[in-house]
Amino acid sequence: MSTNPRILISGASIAGPTLAYWLVRQGFRPTVVEQAPELRAGGNGVDLRGAAVGIAESMGVLPALRDLATDIRALTFVDAEGRRVAGMPTSTFDEPGDIEVMRGDLARVLYDATAHDVDYRFGDTVDTIAQDGDTVQVSFAGGTSAEFDLVVGADGLHSRVRNLAVLSEAEAAHPLGIGFATATVDVSFGARREVTLHNTAGRVAGVYRSGNHRDAQAFFAFRTSREFDFPRDRESQIELLREQFATAGWEIPTLLDAATADPTFYLDAMTQIRMPTWSHGRVGLVGDAAYCATAFSGSGAALAIEGAHLLATALAESDGHTAAFARYEHAFRPIVRARQRSVGTGSAMLVPATNTRIWLRNQLTRLMVLPPLAARVFRADPPAAAPTDPLRRVTRR
Ligand SMILES: Cc1cc2nc3c(=O)[nH]c(=O)nc-3n(C[C@H](O)[C@H](O)[C@H](O)COP(=O)(O)OP(=O)(O)OC[C@H]3O[C@@H](n4cnc5c(N)ncnc54)[C@H](O)[C@@H]3O)c2cc1C
């Protein structure tokens, strides 16, 4: 029997179900509480590569993910009339074995792989956390309370667990000064098997349209000040997005109408989470809650999967939770740091701040200077160290 068997995980997206999967295999009894009433759909394509693919394979979910993989073959920049001005094939970034899946598909596959042996509680959230040396007392917004041995926050950028027990959002958050919105739209938008993007100074609107999916995904990003206070309610978010894209060309007016009518509409500040420590006592963090790198890193989902696997392995192999949290952080921080550092180039490439920079980006793309640089950005890993760490070993079923 594992020590600390009763583990509460907050958040059922990518990190939460992955952690639950590995904890069950190591003899723990995880419970997952998710604020949304059901598994959240939506999100653009996310990349799995390297260690994350190996972990997915060990979980037995690789065939399902390969079936759902997107078939995007190009990134195309268009002008206000929809004419191609520059572009690059996605093969520039991809290596054999990489997989790109829609975020919602990935969340569904991970949930399906765990639903039969993990206790999922949808539509509830942690309200208070009180820990003594031996246990954690948790009360839930739904009115119940329970005792756990450990609590792990896998509840994303605005993690409530982090706020309650580890560090306030004000101290952990490092905004990039960019807003990001996404929503599911009809496949009549964009071009088949392409990511189509239209830039104006400090803004990008785009459509992500895989050829083997029923829907397309619209996305928008816009530069703001780092101090800008993003609204959390849907109506104000829609108003903000409409203000930002009021004068734009291409398909933007109809794309905005479709995106803002979609129930999975999502808008948030692009914010990195950087913290001196990812745990406090019996409470730990994983995924975006601990180390969000943002969509511009191209590796949020992969980091969530790798971190969850490492944390579960550390909990199983260490002598107590304190040693386990320390071991997980020690092994994973260098990888996180490298990927967080890569976002500057990603944002400069996708959301150039001025018209001159848009022109320059297009020229560099045409001259084939940018594609290899982009490939390096999206594959950023620290020089060596981490891959040889024993914690990175993937346990096979
Ligand atoms: C709807 C949605 C769309 C996204 N779209 C994109 C995208 O287009 N591109 C991209 O790169 N990344 C996107 N992301 C973020 C991406 O999923 C993460 O960067 C990455 O996969 C890490 O996953 P995570 O599980 O750590 O966090 P997240 O994926 O952010 O998941 C956190 C989970 O915790 C839940 N949660 C939040 N607060 C609480 C609470 N108080 N109590 C209980 N549960 C809570 C959330 O509902 C969510 O299910 C999106 C996330 C969501 C939720």
Side-chain angles (χ1 to χ4, degrees):
M1 167 62 79
S2 315
T3 52
N4 301 315
R6 302 165 302 167
I7 302 188
L8 176 70
I9 300 169
S10 173
S13 175
I14 312 300
T18 307
L19 178 64
Y21 177 94
W22 288 106
L23 287 176
V24 167
R25 260 101 210 130
Q26 312 277 14
F28 296 90
R29 296 199 312 271
T31 300
V32 180
V33 60
E34 163 61 49
Q35 183 174 254
E38 57 192 28
L39 200 66
R40 289 179 70 177
N44 294 279
V46 292
D47 293 312
L48 300 191
R49 44 177 68 117
V53 176
I55 294 164
E57 185 179 12
S58 306
M59 294 171 75
V61 297
L62 203 54
L65 293 178
R66 290 221 182 277
D67 284 349
L68 291 163
T70 63
D71 60 1
I72 300 284
R73 58 183 171 195
L75 208 66
T76 303
F77 300 108
V78 298
D79 66 14
E81 277 72 48
R83 289 178 304 232
R84 183 182 193 282
V85 289
M88 58 183 106
T90 47
S91 56
T92 321
F93 318 118
D94 297 339
E95 284 192 0
D98 288 359
I99 313 177
E100 184 185 68
V101 281
M102 301 309 280
R103 191 214 71 95
D105 287 341
L106 177 59
R108 169 60 60 187
V109 165
L110 295 171
Y111 171 76
D112 287 348
T114 48
H116 55 285
D117 48 19
V118 172
D119 177 15
Y120 277 94
R121 300 182 189 173
F122 284 92
D124 204 354
T125 179
V126 169
D127 190 32
T128 62
I129 296 176
Q131 48 176 329
D132 55 34
D134 299 324
T135 59
V136 193
Q137 304 293 330
V138 177
S139 74
F140 294 92
T144 58
S145 54
E147 184 182 274
F148 296 91
D149 298 303
L150 301 174
V151 173
V152 179
D155 42 2
L157 183 57
H158 304 292
S159 170
R160 182 157 175 78
V161 170
R162 184 186 63 225
N163 274 322
L164 286 173
V166 189
L167 193 70
S168 74
E169 184 155 331
E171 290 169 285
H174 295 262
L176 299 186
I178 295 177
F180 174 75
T182 184
T184 303
V185 295
D186 192 79
V187 278
S188 54
F189 286 102
R192 190 167 176 274
R193 300 191 62 192
E194 290 193 6
V195 182
T196 313
L197 303 102
H198 172 60
N199 285 98
T200 52
R203 291 182 182 76
V204 65
V207 176
Y208 200 107
R209 183 175 158 199
S210 180
N212 52 6
H213 281 66
R214 271 186 318 152
D215 304 304
Q217 197 72 24
F219 60 90
F220 305 84
F222 50 94
R223 290 184 181 269
T224 62
S225 73
R226 284 180 203 271
E227 293 75 36
F228 185 80
D229 196 10
F230 279 78
R232 300 293 287 272
D233 68 291
R234 184 185 161 101
E235 250 174 56
S236 311
Q237 291 178 340
I238 288 174
E239 199 181 319
L240 170 66
L241 194 66
R242 286 194 175 281
E243 268 167 33
Q244 290 292 328
F245 288 87
T247 55
W250 183 52
E251 300 182 357
I252 289 175
T254 45
L255 196 59
L256 267 178
D257 287 344
T260 54
D262 177 56
T264 70
F265 174 81
Y266 166 99
L267 183 145
D268 213 332
M270 287 249 187
T271 302
Q272 290 198 337
I273 296 298
R274 296 184 225 139
M275 303 172 63
T277 171
W278 297 340
S279 65
H280 177 68
R282 293 182 165 269
V283 180
L285 301 169
V286 69
D288 278 6
Y291 45 72
C292 180
T294 78
F296 284 145
S297 72
S299 49
L303 287 175
I305 290 173
E306 290 174 46
H309 174 259
L310 282 172
L311 176 56
T313 311
L315 286 167
E317 295 179 358
S318 306
D319 187 13
H321 64 278
T322 308
F325 285 143
R327 202 175 155 189
Y328 148 68
E329 266 198 57
H330 179 74
F332 205 42
R333 263 189 191 277
I335 295 170
V336 165
R337 205 173 298 126
R339 307 231 189 123
Q340 286 193 327
R341 281 193 187 132
S342 72
V343 299
T345 316
S347 64
M349 187 176 91
L350 295 172
V351 201
T354 61
N355 286 330
T356 310
R357 288 184 189 192
I358 295 173
W359 178 85
L360 191 63
R361 188 270 320 270
N362 292 346
Q363 296 303 315
L364 292 175
T365 307
R366 285 192 202 118
L367 294 170
M368 295 304 290
V369 176
L370 205 55
L373 185 63
R376 271 217 305 281
V377 168
F378 292 124
R379 308 197 74 85
D381 258 334
T388 57
D389 188 291
L391 268 180
R392 289 178 60 82
R393 195 185 60 227
V394 174
T395 317
R396 304 211 169 247
R397 279 204 300 189

